[in-house]
Amino acid sequence: MSDPYFQQLFAERIGGANYGKGTEIYKFEKIKRAKRKALAEHPERRLIDFGIGENDEMAPESVRRVMAQEIGKPENRGYADNGIQAFKDAAARFMKRTLGVDLDAETEVNHSIGSKPALAMLPACFINPGDVTLMTVPGYPVAGTHTKYYGGEVHRLPLRAENGFFPDLDGIPPDILRRAKLLVLNYPNSPTGVVATRDFYQRVIDFARKHRIVIVQDAAHILLTYEGSPLSFLSVPGAKDVGVEVHSLSKGFHMIGWRIGWVCGNARIVRAFADVKDNCDSGQFIAIQKAAAAALDNDDIPRQVKTKYERRLRKLVETLHRCGFECRMPGGTYFLYARAPRGVRGGPGFETAEAASQYLITEQSISTVPWDDAGPYLRFSVTYEAASEADEDALMAETESRLKGLGLMF
Ligand SMILES: Cc1ncc(COP(=O)(O)O)c(C=O)c1O
């Protein structure tokens, strides 16, 4: 097929004239293909899917009821721009009640259509060509991608077991530090499952002040905190002077597809975000904002979500232990991050987590997400579908039997 006349016009940021011609297959596409192949070749074997990073339930009935009512109201029909005050107020109440953070709901909170677009837009507030965003890896790459779109650079801070899966802020080269404008953190951390400490956040604040860097803390998983109480960056003195925290109703309220979250913290940064956002979208549907406000006022919802995923994670940790994996109960998120097996007794060795992950799906229809950015690890998500606790137990028993049958070496 010949190229369209505009082939030469694609921007370099998405591949320039080569856009659409690459043959490289990305990780999540490889996983999808491997799942399809396993299902086709072994229709008799149930796919055990630890690969999905999405809640397995609908939003609670009470939230859907508010939504149904609000959809019918004419006053909710229009552009929402930078959001309705009722949502900001609910977010501020939630931040105070659940996380002990005081916010001015008018100036220190702004809604977003989920946290993903917020992370995509924040670099627009700060990054000029040549500027640097510091990003932890493995992690959620969206802010880094947009940093590069604006001509900036990403400096990767590996999260390694020997550092407790915290970034080594003291090891950043001086040239990078001079050009760094943003540090993007994510705790509870996806995929490692580690939760932050007050001490770490205090060091981050000192670091930000010393090097004049803005902090963006992605708290998408904060309500899935099992170790201690959920800890907001903004609850640490001084945090509001150096950055913002990005929140979401996706994970903690089973509202993944509803697309609603917020940016909060430093008023000047929140305003810059709102200005950029105002030039990108016209706000989330007001009915969704109102339903989300009702959800934020109902503490039972996140409590139930957390209880469910905590229970499932504990079962998975025990199961994987019995199969030889070295792993511990994560402090947060619905992910278990376990060192990948090195190979199989009398079978292949695995150079990478990706090779191990491919082997598990091919041989036993067990889907995982491999991470090789900072050592070979597999991410198991407990968002699999199981209607009852008995079904969860049956799934764990089946997982154990399949994994034990493989003779994995660690
Ligand atoms: C660490 C992290 N941040 C942000 C997001 C985006 O979530 P949402 O846009 O649904 O709020 C995700 C979703 O997977 C995530 O894992």
Side-chain angles (χ1 to χ4, degrees), residues 98-170:
T98 311
L99 301 166
V101 175
D102 285 304
L103 292 167
D104 177 337
E106 268 188 41
T107 59
E108 295 178 334
V109 180
N110 204 92
H111 93 292
S112 61
I113 303 182
S115 51
K116 184 177 188 174
L119 293 165
M121 290 173 199
L122 281 162
C125 304
F126 291 99
I127 300 300
N128 288 324
D131 293 340
V132 171
T133 295
L134 306 168
M135 300 264 312
T136 55
V137 286
Y140 194 67
V142 171
T145 304
H146 284 263
T147 292
K148 289 188 238 165
Y149 283 179
Y150 292 113
E153 283 171 39
V154 173
H155 181 79
R156 293 153 60 95
L157 301 172
L159 299 177
R160 299 190 193 283
E162 56 268 32
N163 292 332
F165 299 110
F166 288 105
D168 174 15
L169 299 177
D170 299 329

Side-chain angles (χ1 to χ4, degrees), residues 176-222:
I176 298 290
L177 273 181
R178 256 195 310 279
R179 293 186 294 130
K181 280 189 172 173
L182 291 177
L183 166 60
V184 181
L185 297 171
N186 161 226
Y187 289 95
N189 183 256
S190 166
T192 70
V194 162
V195 291
T197 61
R198 280 188 182 278
D199 178 56
F200 170 68
Y201 279 155
Q202 194 58 66
R203 278 188 287 126
V204 166
I205 293 164
D206 295 344
F207 170 84
R209 280 219 182 89
K210 179 168 173 199
H211 299 288
R212 298 174 164 269
I213 289 170
V214 165
I215 308 300
V216 174
Q217 149 58 16
D218 169 3
H221 295 259
I222 197 163

Side-chain angles (χ1 to χ4, degrees), residues 47-309:
L47 178 79
I48 302 184
D49 200 344
F50 295 118
I52 299 178
E54 286 186 35
N55 301 43
D56 55 304
E57 271 188 57
M58 280 200 289
E61 219 258 313
S62 61
V63 180
R64 285 182 276 138
R65 220 173 23 239
V66 177
M67 182 69 190
Q69 284 161 5
E70 297 298 333
I71 277 185
K73 296 186 182 165
E75 66 266 29
N76 292 338
R77 73 188 183 285
Y79 290 130
D81 297 332
N82 268 326
I84 57 169
Q85 193 57 41
F87 177 79
K88 292 178 170 215
D89 291 342
R93 278 195 300 276
F94 167 88
M95 291 295 294
K96 176 70 181 162
R97 208 174 56 247
T98 311
L99 301 166
V101 175
D102 285 304
L103 292 167
D104 177 337
E106 268 188 41
T107 59
E108 295 178 334
V109 180
N110 204 92
H111 93 292
S112 61
I113 303 182
S115 51
K116 184 177 188 174
L119 293 165
M121 290 173 199
L122 281 162
C125 304
F126 291 99
I127 300 300
N128 288 324
D131 293 340
V132 171
T133 295
L134 306 168
M135 300 264 312
T136 55
V137 286
Y140 194 67
V142 171
T145 304
H146 284 263
T147 292
K148 289 188 238 165
Y149 283 179
Y150 292 113
E153 283 171 39
V154 173
H155 181 79
R156 293 153 60 95
L157 301 172
L159 299 177
R160 299 190 193 283
E162 56 268 32
N163 292 332
F165 299 110
F166 288 105
D168 174 15
L169 299 177
D170 299 329
I172 302 169
D175 165 56
I176 298 290
L177 273 181
R178 256 195 310 279
R179 293 186 294 130
K181 280 189 172 173
L182 291 177
L183 166 60
V184 181
L185 297 171
N186 161 226
Y187 289 95
N189 183 256
S190 166
T192 70
V194 162
V195 291
T197 61
R198 280 188 182 278
D199 178 56
F200 170 68
Y201 279 155
Q202 194 58 66
R203 278 188 287 126
V204 166
I205 293 164
D206 295 344
F207 170 84
R209 280 219 182 89
K210 179 168 173 199
H211 299 288
R212 298 174 164 269
I213 289 170
V214 165
I215 308 300
V216 174
Q217 149 58 16
D218 169 3
H221 295 259
I222 197 163
L223 293 171
L224 303 172
T225 293
Y226 318 116
E227 208 176 283
S229 311
L231 177 65
S232 167
F233 174 63
L234 297 174
S235 70
V236 179
K240 227 194 251 182
D241 299 331
V242 301
V244 288
E245 194 161 68
V246 183
H247 286 260
S248 170
L249 280 91
S250 290
K251 320 272 174 181
F253 292 84
H254 291 321
M255 289 173 73
I256 285 258
W258 293 57
R259 314 311 304 134
I260 182 90
W262 70 92
V263 173
C264 59
N266 185 280
R268 187 68 63 89
I269 302 174
V270 169
R271 187 164 121 196
F273 164 71
D275 282 340
V276 169
K277 181 183 175 303
D278 208 22
N279 282 288
C280 293
D281 64 57
S282 299
Q284 182 51 282
F285 182 25
I286 292 173
I288 291 182
Q289 293 189 53
K290 289 185 176 170
L296 285 171
D297 281 334
N298 184 348
D299 294 336
D300 286 342
I301 302 172
R303 197 177 301 127
Q304 280 162 12
V305 175
K306 174 193 147 171
T307 302
K308 168 179 169 171
Y309 292 125

